[in-house]
Structure formats: structure tokens, C-alpha cells
Amino acid sequence: MHFETKAIHTGLDSPDNTGSVVPAIYPSTIFEIDADGRKKGDFHYTRLDNPNRRQLEHLISTLEEGEGALAFSSGVAAASAVMQSLQPGDHILVPEDIYAGNRMLIQNILIPWGLEVDFIRMDQTSRIEQALRDNTRLIWIETPSNPLMRISDISAICKLASDRGILTCVDNTWPTPVNQLPLKLGADLVVHSTTKYFGGHSDLLGGAVAARKKDDFFERVRTVQWTGGAVPSPADCWMLCRSTRTLPYRMRGHNEHAMILARFLKDQARVSEVYYPGLDSHPGHATARKQMSGFGGMISFLIDGNAGDAIKIVGRSELIKRATSLGGVESTWEHRRSSEGENSVTPENMIRISVGLEHPEDLIEDLAKALR
Ligand SMILES: *Cc1c(COP(=O)(O)O)cnc(C)c1O
């Protein structure tokens, strides 16, 4: 089946037989035990498993073309579960411009817990090879990276890692499985902030891990999921399944509109640089073409000026909302450095825009006014 069909028809299986086409929400935290005891695989208690969570996990693993998936209460909780499935003393490699929330997670919790971490540039595979150590267990990939839009070569990195028995995990939040399928390119794991495009309407928080194989490491992440307890509510799982039905069509709109806006921005006098992997001028364009089927809805650009000038430009929009995060139907933008805080490596004159599904001509009019 094609992606669009799978997005609509997967995860509809309910444990009742009412014939309802849309599954019910199962708010119950407890499930009745058989008179002859509890059977393996039965529902028991909602932190461990819940029908709505099972539906969502089935849907995400199907779309990422993996053997299994696990849902979490946020994207950071999903990342945390993967990293906590390692052992203290293990070494991991992460991108120098890793998503700022994951940087805080690593610095505030996982390094004190005992992980050894190197932050490196991942758009040149040779740098990764140089940074490997005997205790390297995991390479974390984020492509396009946030907010510098660097492109890492997923299959080259996964080849290098698997030859040495090192795990690879790709943060696929920005491209989504509509634009990029890391498990097909050799990655072991994919993580998501489903808060973004899966949710798509800026009204829920969630995260997920999908795995190419249901192996021991996957079972370890599952143990962290239900033991650590950062699980999503049944209502959020239901809402995420509902939103995911339209994911491929929304992504098509985000891809198309971002391309139009990136081309527009490139021609503006106040704009000195546009970072969008769909532009021929992007240094990672060739790799992006190889591994992505669409270039996504996120654009970063530099303005000719300083932080104050960038904040002023963002302040002049009337249609584009000033907000952090991304992936909603409405366009948003922000002075990125202000959102990232301490240790940010983002240039001070950078603006990041999440291109929504409004008509692109209305967005261009708003941008033109703000840049005037
Ligand atoms: C937002 C985001 C996250 C974290 O997700 P939350 O749902 O906010 O915890 C992780 N990675 C990327 C690329 C993101 O954009």
C-alpha cells in the first residue's frame, strides 16, 4: 500500500466489536484480569500499555517502515529513553547543533548520569570517523539539522556505524517519514517529536521511537518507557492518530510553500543567506536529493544586521505568528537565538520560519512588509 493509504487505514483496530469506524478513546487506567489470572499481552495498567497507545505505535512503526514503535509524552522524553537505554560510561556522538532541548537533556541529565558525549559537525562523515572511541555506542543524527539546516549523509554514517557495531538514531522530526525514511537507509532507530508535524496543529505534545528491528535494544527502550513513565495520555494518542491521517497531504503543502518562500527570500536585499536544502545553492543539496523525497517546511535565513534588527523584522509580521516550535498549519517565525538561550551556536542574525499551509501569496506579502 502507498503511504497515504497506510496513514488512513493503520491503527484502527479496536479491542471492542461495535463496528465503529473511528476507534474509541480508552481513558481507563485499569483493565480487568481474567478469573484464571493475567495473560501475557493483555492490557493491565495504562502506564504499561493502553489500546490507544498501541494503535498510535502501530501507525508510527508502519509509516517509518520499522518493526516496532514506542510512544512518549514528548520528543525529549523519547530521546531520553533511547539515551538511558545505554550504560553509564558509554560514549555517544551528537551533532554540534543538535536540537536545543536535547542539548539541555544531555548536559543537565545524561552527562551527570555518566554518558560521555562529543558534539561534532556531522555534515562531513570523515569527522565522525575521527571522533569514534572504543566505547562509542551510538551516533545521533539530525538532518536537516536545527536551525542550521546542515545535511548529514544517513546511509554513509549508518554504514560506518554498523561495520563497528555502533547504533544509529535519526531525529526525523523535521522531515517526517513523508520526506525521509531513515530505517530504509540503514538507521537502527528513529525518534520524533510528534508535537510537530504528526500533531500538525500546535495543540499537543508527544514523542516516539521507531525501530528497524524489535531487538534487545528496542526491548530496553520499552522498559525505560513504562518504568520511567513518560507516556502519553490515551486522549493524546487518539488525537495523534487522527492528525496523522492527513500528514502526507499536509507535508506536501509544507514542502511546496517552503520552496516558494525560500526562493522569494533569496532575492531580498535585507536577506544575506537562506538555508533551505531544496535550493541548489545549499551545500547539502546533493545529499538531500539522494535521501529526501521533499525538503520540508523549515527555512532559516540570515539578515543583513544584528540581533536587534532580526527581532525588529520578526516584530513586524501581521499574519505569521511570533512563536517557537514548528509544524503547525499556521506559519510561525522567531529570532532563533533568543529561544535557544545559553550555549546556543546559532548566529545572532538568524530568523527561523516554520512555513504553514496558508496561501503562499499571503505569506509572501507579509514577509515583504516585514523585510521592507
Ligand atoms: C521539538 C523538537 C524536539 C523535542 O520535542 P518536544 O516534543 O518539544 O519534547 C526534538 N527534536 C527536534 C528536531 C525538534 O524540533
Side-chain angles (χ1 to χ4, degrees):
M1 268 194 281
H2 292 85
F3 194 100
E4 293 82 349
T5 314
K6 289 191 286 190
I8 291 170
H9 286 276
T10 311
L12 291 170
D13 30 303
S14 288
D16 62 34
N17 48 17
T18 58
S20 149
V21 171
V22 176
I25 302 177
Y26 294 86
S28 188
T29 53
I30 50 174
F31 297 85
E32 210 171 354
I33 298 165
D34 261 5
D36 44 356
R38 188 181 161 209
K39 287 199 281 298
K40 195 171 167 358
D42 281 351
F43 293 106
H44 185 59
Y45 181 57
T46 281
R47 174 159 46 76
L48 316 187
D49 203 358
N50 171 281
N52 295 106
R53 194 157 96 216
R54 219 180 261 186
Q55 289 160 350
L56 174 63
E57 291 174 344
H58 182 198
L59 178 57
I60 292 176
S61 77
T62 302
L63 296 182
E64 284 290 355
E65 302 195 25
E67 283 185 3
L70 300 163
F72 291 85
S73 54
S74 71
V76 165
S80 181
V82 170
M83 293 185 192
Q84 285 194 305
S85 298
L86 300 167
Q87 302 290 331
D90 286 346
H91 174 243
I92 67 172
L93 291 176
V94 304
E96 131 193 299
D97 57 340
I98 188 170
Y99 166 72
N102 285 341
R103 173 196 307 280
M104 286 181 227
L105 165 76
I106 292 168
Q107 282 171 339
N108 296 336
I109 299 181
L110 295 164
I111 292 175
W113 176 69
L115 277 191
E116 292 173 18
V117 186
D118 275 315
F119 294 84
I120 61 164
R121 274 190 75 148
M122 289 216 177
D123 50 344
Q124 294 146 353
T125 310
S126 59
R127 297 224 189 180
I128 300 173
E129 209 154 358
Q130 288 157 14
L132 293 174
R133 298 196 210 149
D134 290 342
N135 59 339
T136 307
R137 280 293 316 282
L138 173 75
I139 301 174
W140 191 271
I141 303 167
E142 193 183 321
T143 179
S145 73
N146 171 16
L148 298 178
M149 310 296 284
R150 288 180 182 152
I151 301 295
S152 305
D153 187 331
I154 298 175
S155 48
I157 299 171
C158 291
K159 169 88 177 58
L160 177 154
S162 71
D163 286 351
R164 295 165 171 82
I166 298 168
L167 289 168
T168 42
C169 180
V170 178
D171 185 333
N172 209 32
T173 300
W174 282 28
T176 80
V178 178
N179 287 336
Q180 180 169 283
L181 287 167
L183 303 181
K184 286 272 138 197
L185 297 167
D188 297 297
L189 301 160
V190 156
V191 295
H192 275 288
S193 166
T194 51
T195 313
K196 314 296 168 53
Y197 290 107
F198 272 87
H201 297 73
S202 311
D203 56 6
L204 62 82
L205 276 177
V209 176
R212 190 157 47 84
K213 290 259 167 277
K214 265 189 173 168
D215 56 11
D216 290 347
F217 192 82
F218 179 79
E219 289 310 323
R220 174 107 192 104
V221 182
R222 188 201 297 282
T223 303
V224 176
Q225 178 202 35
W226 64 261
T227 323
V231 293
S233 73
D236 281 351
C237 292
W238 182 92
M239 189 64 150
L240 264 170
C241 285
R242 192 244 210 217
S243 298
T244 304
R245 308 293 174 211
T246 55
L247 178 68
Y249 294 95
R250 285 186 283 109
M251 286 317 294
R252 231 171 261 177
H254 290 296
N255 290 342
E256 183 189 313
H257 297 181
M259 195 69 216
I260 294 170
L261 262 59
R263 290 199 173 121
F264 167 81
L265 285 167
K266 232 178 124 43
D267 290 337
Q268 302 309 300
R270 299 263 348 240
V271 175
S272 55
E273 189 78 58
V274 179
Y275 300 91
Y276 185 66
L279 295 174
D280 298 339
S281 56
H282 188 289
H285 181 66
T287 309
R289 282 191 78 100
K290 195 176 68 164
Q291 65 193 20
M292 302 179 83
S293 55
F295 302 109
M298 297 299 296
I299 307 170
S300 295
F301 61 99
L302 300 181
I303 55 121
D304 187 10
N306 59 23
D309 298 321
I311 291 168
K312 255 187 235 150
I313 288 171
V314 171
R316 282 202 287 265
S317 66
E318 286 168 13
L319 181 64
I320 303 171
K321 299 280 186 195
R322 281 175 291 283
T324 192
S325 194
L326 60 125
V329 291
E330 67 289 316
S331 296
T332 55
W333 66 348
E334 65 176 332
H335 174 244
R336 185 62 195 161
R337 178 101 158 233
S338 301
S339 277
E340 292 188 343
E342 249 180 280
N343 304 322
S344 166
V345 293
T346 298
E348 62 156 353
N349 55 337
M350 177 173 273
I351 296 172
R352 195 188 79 175
I353 173 165
S354 168
V355 183
L357 301 181
E358 302 93 340
H359 197 288
E361 283 170 15
D362 295 329
L363 294 173
I364 284 182
E365 198 183 311
D366 200 39
L367 279 179
K369 245 188 292 167
L371 288 167
R372 204 166 285 151

Coordinates of all heavy atoms in Angstrom, one line a residue, residues 73-77 79 99 101-102 142 144 146 171-174 191-196 205-207 325-326 352, ligand 1:
S73 N 5.6 10.9 26.0 CA 4.8 12.1 26.3 C 5.4 13.4 25.7 O 4.8 14.4 25.6 CB 4.8 12.3 27.8 OG 6.1 12.3 28.4
S74 N 6.6 13.3 25.2 CA 7.2 14.4 24.4 C 8.4 13.9 23.6 O 8.9 12.8 23.8 CB 7.7 15.5 25.4 OG 8.9 15.1 26.1
G75 N 8.9 14.7 22.7 CA 10.0 14.3 21.9 C 11.3 14.2 22.7 O 12.1 13.2 22.5
V76 N 11.4 15.0 23.7 CA 12.6 15.0 24.6 C 12.5 13.7 25.4 O 13.6 13.0 25.7 CB 12.7 16.2 25.4 CG1 13.7 16.0 26.6 CG2 13.2 17.4 24.6
A77 N 11.3 13.3 25.8 CA 11.2 12.0 26.6 C 11.6 10.8 25.7 O 12.2 9.9 26.2 CB 9.8 11.9 27.1
A79 N 13.8 10.9 23.2 CA 15.3 11.0 23.1 C 15.9 10.5 24.4 O 16.9 9.7 24.4 CB 15.7 12.4 22.8
Y99 N 19.2 19.7 18.3 CA 18.0 20.4 18.8 C 18.3 20.9 20.3 O 18.7 20.1 21.1 CB 16.8 19.5 18.8 CG 15.6 20.0 19.6 CD1 14.9 21.1 19.2 CD2 15.3 19.4 20.8 CE1 13.9 21.7 19.9 CE2 14.3 19.9 21.6 CZ 13.6 21.1 21.1 OH 12.6 21.6 21.9
G101 N 16.7 21.5 23.0 CA 16.1 20.8 24.1 C 16.9 19.5 24.4 O 17.1 19.1 25.6
N102 N 17.3 18.9 23.4 CA 18.1 17.6 23.5 C 19.5 18.0 24.1 O 20.1 17.2 24.8 CB 18.2 16.8 22.2 CG 16.9 16.1 21.9 OD1 16.1 15.9 22.8 ND2 16.7 15.7 20.6
E142 N 20.8 14.2 13.1 CA 19.7 15.1 12.9 C 19.9 15.8 11.6 O 20.8 16.6 11.4 CB 19.6 16.1 14.1 CG 18.3 16.9 14.2 CD 18.3 17.9 15.3 OE1 18.9 17.7 16.4 OE2 17.8 19.0 15.1
P144 N 17.6 17.4 8.1 CA 18.3 18.7 8.3 C 18.5 19.1 9.7 O 17.6 18.8 10.5 CB 17.5 19.7 7.5 CG 16.5 18.9 6.7 CD 16.3 17.6 7.4
N146 N 19.0 21.5 13.1 CA 18.2 22.6 13.6 C 19.0 23.6 14.4 O 19.5 23.2 15.4 CB 17.1 21.9 14.5 CG 16.2 22.9 15.2 OD1 16.2 24.1 14.9 ND2 15.6 22.4 16.2
D171 N 17.0 11.7 14.4 CA 15.8 12.5 14.8 C 15.1 12.9 13.5 O 15.7 13.8 12.7 CB 16.3 13.8 15.5 CG 15.2 14.6 16.1 OD1 14.1 14.6 15.5 OD2 15.4 15.3 17.1
N172 N 14.0 12.3 13.2 CA 13.3 12.5 11.9 C 12.1 13.5 12.0 O 11.2 13.5 11.2 CB 12.8 11.2 11.4 CG 12.7 11.1 9.9 OD1 13.5 11.7 9.2 ND2 11.8 10.3 9.4
T173 N 12.2 14.3 13.1 CA 11.0 15.3 13.4 C 10.8 16.2 12.2 O 9.6 16.4 11.8 CB 11.4 16.1 14.6 OG1 11.5 15.2 15.7 CG2 10.3 17.1 15.0
W174 N 11.8 16.8 11.7 CA 11.6 17.8 10.6 C 11.2 17.2 9.3 O 10.2 17.7 8.8 CB 12.9 18.6 10.5 CG 13.0 19.7 11.5 CD1 12.6 19.6 12.8 CD2 13.7 20.9 11.4 NE1 12.9 20.8 13.5 CE2 13.6 21.6 12.6 CE3 14.4 21.6 10.4 CZ2 14.2 22.8 12.9 CZ3 15.0 22.8 10.6 CH2 14.8 23.4 11.8
V191 N 13.8 8.8 16.0 CA 13.0 9.5 17.1 C 12.2 10.6 16.5 O 12.6 11.2 15.5 CB 13.8 10.0 18.3 CG1 14.5 8.9 19.0 CG2 14.8 11.0 17.8
H192 N 11.1 10.9 17.2 CA 10.2 12.0 16.7 C 9.8 12.9 17.9 O 9.5 12.3 19.0 CB 8.9 11.5 16.1 CG 9.1 11.1 14.7 ND1 9.2 12.1 13.7 CD2 9.2 10.0 14.0 CE1 9.3 11.6 12.5 NE2 9.3 10.2 12.7
S193 N 9.7 14.1 17.6 CA 8.8 15.0 18.4 C 7.5 15.0 17.6 O 7.4 15.7 16.6 CB 9.3 16.4 18.6 OG 8.3 17.2 19.1
T194 N 6.5 14.2 18.1 CA 5.2 14.2 17.3 C 4.4 15.5 17.6 O 3.3 15.7 17.0 CB 4.4 13.0 17.7 OG1 4.3 12.9 19.2 CG2 5.0 11.7 17.2
T195 N 4.9 16.3 18.5 CA 4.4 17.7 18.8 C 4.3 18.5 17.5 O 3.5 19.4 17.4 CB 5.3 18.4 19.8 OG1 5.7 17.5 20.9 CG2 4.7 19.7 20.3
K196 N 5.2 18.1 16.6 CA 5.4 19.0 15.4 C 4.5 18.5 14.3 O 3.3 18.7 14.4 CB 6.9 18.9 15.0 CG 7.9 19.1 16.2 CD 7.7 20.5 16.8 CE 8.4 20.6 18.2 NZ 9.9 20.3 18.2
L205 N 1.5 17.7 22.8 CA 2.9 17.3 23.0 C 3.0 15.8 22.8 O 2.2 15.1 23.4 CB 3.4 17.6 24.4 CG 3.9 19.0 24.7 CD1 4.3 19.1 26.2 CD2 5.1 19.4 23.9
G206 N 4.1 15.3 22.2 CA 4.3 13.9 22.1 C 5.6 13.5 21.5 O 6.3 14.4 20.9
G207 N 6.0 12.3 21.7 CA 7.2 11.8 21.1 C 7.1 10.3 20.7 O 6.2 9.7 21.2
S325 N 8.8 26.6 18.2 CA 8.3 25.3 17.7 C 7.9 25.4 16.2 O 8.3 26.4 15.5 CB 7.1 24.9 18.5 OG 6.8 23.5 18.3
L326 N 7.3 24.4 15.7 CA 7.1 24.3 14.3 C 6.1 23.2 13.9 O 5.6 22.5 14.8 CB 8.5 23.9 13.6 CG 9.0 22.5 14.1 CD1 9.3 21.6 13.0 CD2 10.3 22.8 14.9
R352 N 14.2 31.9 12.0 CA 13.8 30.6 11.6 C 12.3 30.7 11.3 O 11.5 31.2 12.2 CB 14.1 29.6 12.6 CG 14.0 28.1 12.1 CD 14.2 27.2 13.3 NE 13.0 27.0 14.1 CZ 12.8 26.2 15.1 NH1 13.8 25.4 15.4 NH2 11.7 26.1 15.7
Ligands
LIG1 C1 10.8 20.0 19.1 C2 11.9 19.0 18.8 C3 12.3 18.0 19.7 C4 11.7 17.9 21.1 O1 10.4 17.6 21.1 P1 9.4 18.0 22.3 O2 8.1 17.4 21.9 O3 9.3 19.5 22.4 O4 9.9 17.4 23.6 C5 13.3 17.2 19.3 N1 13.9 17.3 18.1 C6 13.5 18.2 17.2 C7 14.2 18.3 15.9 C8 12.5 19.2 17.5 O5 12.2 20.1 16.6

